[in-house]
């Protein structure tokens, strides 16, 4: 732990205990930092099943934390999809340990990440909302107000509480991260706009239901000129139904500020099961005997992105930074990948292990903002494709999907985009071209029976070389060798599973220079000096 704790200053305060905030907080605490996680909801309020798809790249990042296999055991694997028009896409084409989409309720992901966060020492404060934010050269000051519940719980209800919350509390931290969703209080406190537009003018209806006559396909989807629906199983007898048609009422928003939408899942304009059945029959030809809904809602699909992911010592991640249509199941995955990108950078800076702290922290926006923008485009294109109207446009869609169904490279590009495996970051300034720096590191076998993503579980950089290369002195990293004798490359892998540097037949001095560039500051203080 840094010296922040001795000064009654936590290293990082994270706002929002959804998947993004939980992963980020757990990473930071695992790195030895003091972390307070603030959540407005009471501990007992489940988030039900807002998100349900976990893609291959997210599973790889969870594997690097020793969590993927347990999460996979909670859900159902989908290794092929038939989005519309009879087209079938096989996810077995993905070059990953996880060539599938995992379908599991969001609360399973949250339970797993919460348990990890608590085990690493994160202090979770439920029933609190942010009512004030200030920052100066050295510190972020966050003001908390209770939401009306009497206790500050340390975690699940079977653990003791830490006593009553005072009317107002103040937390001082080195940095703060807003992972508090589309109505982010931190984003509002920073005065950042959330520009964008509605992806779908008319709202979607969602329901978790039982089916008397389940479909044969694991994922069932189809669209007509006037309606679209899809069904996906959770693996426990429940199905998520998503349905839309032109005459569906628009969900009402309660504005959260200029250019800021309300929570896309809204309680007004209630959904009736008959409405879900009618739309599903119109789109699929049958409602498969829907009955006994446990949850229903109306969803207003917006496409919005904050212009900056960093303001001084405060960062935004997940839905607080970007929100888009649910098409492709990209929302939660993108937020978790935001967290994986940011956590190691904050840890390196706070531990004084960053040669250029400001550049490293700025790289979070530089790398993740384009990814968020791309996700907005992809999810928007998907939802517009399935809802396209007019005979000419529908014919164009059939032609395009026909090409995608027949052409292997086109399928590979589509699958890489949706799965997240195709994400690559810009190479570092001054990197020699061509370079692999910034690309995803595949999970290759290492000497001793280890995999690369198992080696990443230590939480730091991993250097992989052929045998005989010296370990760079003083560099905080793990040094491993390739399992295969014919590999001649030397690679330095970032904690988030992307290549920091690679070279063929590199000398010991070249390896030392590459690691020093990333890991050996001339003078590290562990603090940043940027003014907000």
């Amino acid at each position: 732990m840094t010296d922040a704790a001795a000064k009654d200053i936590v290293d990082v305060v994270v706002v929002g205990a959804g998947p993004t905030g939980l992963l980020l907080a757990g990473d930071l605490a695992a790195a030895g930092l003091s972390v307070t996680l603030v959540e407005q909801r009471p501990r007992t309020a489940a988030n039900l099943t807002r998100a349900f798809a976990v893609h291959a790249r997210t599973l790889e990042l969870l594997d690097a934390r020793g969590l993927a296999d347990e999460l996979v055991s909670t859900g159902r694997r989908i290794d092929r999809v038939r989005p519309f028009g009879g087209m079938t896409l096989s996810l077995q084409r993905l070059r990953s340990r996880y060539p599938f989409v995992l379908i599991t309720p969001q609360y399973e992901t949250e339970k797993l990440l919460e348990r990890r966060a608590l085990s690493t020492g994160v202090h979770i404060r439920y029933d609190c909302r942010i009512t004030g934010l200030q920052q100066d050269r050295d510190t972020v000051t966050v003001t908390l107000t209770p939401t009306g519940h009497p206790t500050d719980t340390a975690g699940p209800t079977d653990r003791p509480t830490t006593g009553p919350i005072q009317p107002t509390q103040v937390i001082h931290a080195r940095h703060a991260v807003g992972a508090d969703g589309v109505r982010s209080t931190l984003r509002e406190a920073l005065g950042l706009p959330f520009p964008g537009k509605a992806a779908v003018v008319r709202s979607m209806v969602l329901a978790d239901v039982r089916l008397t006559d389940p479909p044969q396909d694991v994922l069932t989807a189809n669209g007509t000129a006037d309606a679209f629906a899809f069904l996906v199983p959770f693996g426990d007898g429940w199905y998520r139904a998503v349905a839309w048609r032109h005459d569906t009422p628009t969900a009402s928003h309660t504005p959260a500020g200029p250019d800021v939408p309300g929570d896309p899942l809204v309680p007004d304009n209630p959904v009736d099961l008959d409405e879900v059945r009618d739309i599903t029959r119109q789109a699929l030809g049958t409602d498969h005997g829907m009955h006994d809904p446990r949850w229903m809602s109306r969803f207003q699909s917006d496409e919005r992105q904050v212009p900056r992911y960093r303001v001084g010592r405060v960062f935004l991640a997940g839905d607080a930074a970007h929100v888009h249509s649910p098409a492709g199941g990209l929302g939660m995955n993108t937020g978790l990948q935001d967290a994986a990108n940011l956590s190691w950078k904050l840890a390196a800076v706070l531990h004084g292990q960053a040669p250029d702290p400001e550049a490293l922290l700025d790289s979070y926006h530089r790398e993740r903002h384009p990814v968020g923008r791309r996700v907005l485009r992809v999810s928007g294109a998907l939802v517009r494709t399935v809802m396209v109207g007019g005979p000419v446009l529908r014919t164009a869609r059939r032609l395009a999907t026909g090409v995608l169904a027949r052409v292997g490279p086109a399928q590979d590009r589509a699958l890489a985009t949706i799965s997240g495996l195709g994400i690559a970051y810009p190479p570092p300034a001054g990197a020699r071209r061509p370079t692999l720096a910034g690309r995803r590191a595949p999970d290759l076998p290492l000497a001793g029976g280890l995999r690369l993503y198992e080696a990443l579980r230590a939480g730091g950089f991993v250097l992989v070389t052929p045998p005989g290369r010296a370990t760079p002195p003083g560099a905080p990293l793990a040094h491993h060798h390739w399992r295969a004798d014919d590999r001649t490359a030397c690679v330095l892998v970032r904690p988030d599973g992307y290549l920091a540097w690679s070279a063929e037949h590199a000398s010991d001095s070249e390896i030392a220079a590459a690691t020093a560039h990333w890991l050996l500051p001339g003078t590290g203080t562990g603090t940043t000096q940027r003014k907000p």
Side-chain angles (χ1 to χ4, degrees):
M1 184 177 295
T2 71
D3 62 353
K7 301 177 182 179
D8 294 324
I9 299 176
V10 300
D11 289 313
V12 184
V13 58
V14 180
V15 183
T20 299
L22 288 166
L23 179 68
L24 178 67
D27 281 1
L28 295 170
L33 300 173
S34 57
V35 184
T36 295
L37 178 58
V38 179
E39 171 56 51
Q40 183 169 331
R41 292 173 297 157
R43 170 63 184 87
T44 55
N47 205 21
L48 284 178
T49 52
R50 290 189 179 188
F52 53 83
V54 186
H55 287 292
R57 183 54 181 160
T58 301
L59 288 169
E60 289 183 344
L61 295 177
L62 293 175
D63 184 30
R65 292 154 176 80
L67 302 173
D69 290 345
E70 183 175 352
L71 186 63
V72 168
S73 70
T74 69
R76 184 169 179 178
R77 308 179 189 191
I78 293 180
D79 60 9
R80 58 184 174 87
V81 293
R82 293 180 181 176
F84 36 73
M87 177 180 62
T88 299
L89 293 178
S90 173
L91 278 69
Q92 293 296 312
R93 300 176 67 93
L94 295 174
R95 297 181 179 179
S96 170
R97 180 179 172 84
Y98 305 98
F100 53 83
V101 175
L102 175 68
I103 302 300
T104 189
Q106 179 174 321
Y107 58 74
E108 294 288 357
T109 304
E110 289 190 0
K111 284 194 300 185
L112 186 65
L113 294 176
E114 182 195 58
R115 191 182 70 211
R116 173 181 181 252
L118 291 167
S119 71
T120 56
V122 175
H123 182 209
I124 305 180
R125 290 184 176 271
Y126 288 96
D127 306 302
C128 293
R129 60 189 177 92
I130 304 300
T131 55
L133 173 71
Q134 294 180 324
Q135 59 174 317
D136 55 29
R137 178 174 175 174
D138 300 311
T139 310
V140 179
T141 301
V142 175
T143 303
L144 305 183
T145 300
T147 58
H149 301 277
T151 57
D152 166 21
T153 62
T157 53
D158 58 351
R159 289 191 301 275
T161 63
T162 59
I165 298 178
Q166 301 302 317
T168 299
Q169 290 189 342
V170 174
I171 298 178
H172 302 286
R174 297 298 189 199
H175 293 281
V177 181
D180 48 342
V182 66
R183 297 171 65 91
S184 170
T185 54
L186 252 66
R187 186 187 63 236
E188 293 178 40
L190 291 170
L192 289 175
F194 204 29
K197 60 184 179 180
V200 180
V201 177
R202 313 302 286 180
S203 62
M204 300 178 182
V205 292
L206 301 90
D208 287 353
V209 296
R210 299 279 192 180
L211 300 180
T212 302
D213 180 25
Q216 292 183 350
D217 289 336
V218 175
L219 188 150
T220 303
N222 193 49
T224 68
D226 298 311
F228 168 78
F230 78 80
L231 298 170
V232 62
F234 289 114
D236 58 358
W238 290 98
Y239 282 73
R240 163 63 58 84
V242 179
W244 171 94
R245 67 183 173 196
H246 284 293
D247 62 353
T248 301
T250 301
S252 299
H253 278 328
T254 301
D259 293 324
V260 180
D263 190 331
L265 294 174
V266 293
D268 46 356
N269 291 341
V271 180
D272 183 273
L273 181 59
D274 287 339
E275 180 183 358
V276 184
R277 287 170 172 159
D278 289 343
I279 301 173
T280 304
R281 283 195 295 266
Q282 187 175 353
L284 302 181
T286 175
D287 64 12
H288 293 282
M290 287 183 186
H291 62 92
D292 294 333
R294 65 178 177 182
W295 174 79
M296 294 186 294
S297 187
R298 205 174 295 281
F299 186 94
Q300 179 68 46
S301 182
D302 284 345
E303 294 175 350
R304 298 179 182 273
Q305 186 179 28
V306 73
R308 288 185 287 164
Y309 283 16
R310 179 193 182 191
V311 178
R313 292 180 168 271
V314 183
F315 303 80
L316 296 174
D319 286 353
H322 46 76
V323 64
H324 42 81
S325 89
L330 302 176
M332 182 181 71
N333 292 269
T334 306
L336 290 170
Q337 292 165 32
D338 288 344
N341 183 285
L342 178 59
S343 61
W344 72 268
K345 296 173 180 179
L346 280 171
V349 169
L350 287 165
H351 283 308
Q353 296 173 346
D356 189 339
E358 287 301 322
L360 186 61
L361 293 179
D362 281 342
S363 72
Y364 169 64
H365 171 89
R366 183 174 67 95
E367 292 181 345
R368 293 304 300 174
H369 191 273
V371 173
R373 186 171 60 245
R374 190 178 311 121
V375 168
L376 261 68
R377 290 200 304 265
V378 169
S379 62
L382 286 171
V383 77
R384 291 180 181 92
T385 297
V386 299
M387 295 175 179
V388 67
V392 175
L393 294 176
R394 290 196 298 274
T395 299
R397 183 185 72 181
R398 286 195 296 270
L399 291 174
T401 56
V403 171
L404 184 62
R406 292 191 302 271
V407 180
Q411 288 190 29
D412 291 340
R413 287 192 295 271
L415 293 173
T417 298
I418 298 298
S419 67
L421 299 181
I423 292 173
Y425 299 134
R432 294 181 180 179
R433 304 297 181 97
T435 179
L436 298 177
R439 297 187 184 182
R440 160 187 167 265
D443 188 19
L444 295 173
L446 307 179
L450 202 66
R451 296 182 290 109
L452 173 59
Y453 280 69
E454 291 175 319
L456 286 170
R457 293 175 186 175
F461 278 74
V462 174
L463 175 67
V464 187
T465 68
R469 294 291 187 267
T471 300
L477 54 75
H479 186 185
H480 295 272
H481 301 301
W482 299 115
R483 184 181 304 176
D485 294 335
D486 59 347
R487 286 192 173 273
T488 59
C490 299
V491 299
L492 182 64
V493 183
R494 301 175 359 173
D496 59 354
Y498 289 87
L499 293 173
W501 167 84
S502 69
E504 289 285 340
H505 306 288
S507 65
D508 287 347
S509 61
E510 289 173 323
I511 295 171
T515 56
H517 174 79
W518 283 93
L519 296 167
L520 297 179
T523 56
T525 62
T527 62
T528 57
Q529 303 300 319
R530 167 170 295 196
K531 294 182 180 180

